[in-house]
Amino acid sequence: MDSWPSNSPYPLGHYVETIGPAGSKDVETKIILQEYKIPHEPFPAAVLACLPPNDYKIEMVPERADFRKLPVLSIDPPGCKDIDDALHCIALPNGN
C-alpha cells in the first residue's frame, strides 16, 4: 500500500511480487517474515564454513547438566557479543 487518500474508500498501491498460493505453509511463512522485517536470507558461504562437519558429536562434560531437551530461548539483545542469557519454562506437576 502506497497511500490511502482521505476521500477514497480504497487504498492506492502497486504490484510488488507474486509469492505463491494462499494457505501454503512456505508462502505464509515468507509473508510473516516479510511483514515483520525478519531477516531470512541464506547464510553466506563464509558463515557456513564455520560450522562443524555433519558427523560432529557433542562430547558431554560429566560435571555439566544437559539442557538440550528443554525449550530454551535466548533473551540477549540483537547485536550482543556473547549469547549467554536464556529462559525456559515447563509445566510443573502441580499445574504451575
Side-chain angles (χ1 to χ4, degrees):
M1 183 171 72
D2 296 322
S3 65
W4 198 326
S6 59
N7 62 347
S8 173
Y10 308 107
L12 301 175
H14 65 279
Y15 173 81
V16 176
E17 90 180 276
T18 298
I19 298 175
S24 159
K25 181 180 173 186
D26 290 338
V27 170
E28 300 296 330
T29 300
K30 187 171 182 179
I31 290 169
I32 291 169
L33 294 172
Q34 287 181 351
E35 182 176 349
Y36 293 99
K37 297 178 175 65
I38 298 170
H40 58 282
E41 296 78 23
F43 288 107
V47 172
L48 296 174
C50 295
L51 294 174
N54 288 337
D55 60 351
Y56 177 78
K57 300 285 186 227
I58 295 174
E59 294 181 24
M60 297 304 297
V61 178
E63 61 271 9
R64 297 186 83 180
D66 183 359
F67 296 117
R68 291 178 293 170
K69 290 193 166 77
L70 292 175
V72 177
L73 62 116
S74 170
I75 57 170
D76 288 297
C80 71
K81 301 298 181 205
D82 60 337
I83 301 175
D84 61 352
D85 299 312
L87 295 174
H88 84 63
C89 62
I90 56 173
L92 299 176
N94 67 0
N96 290 337

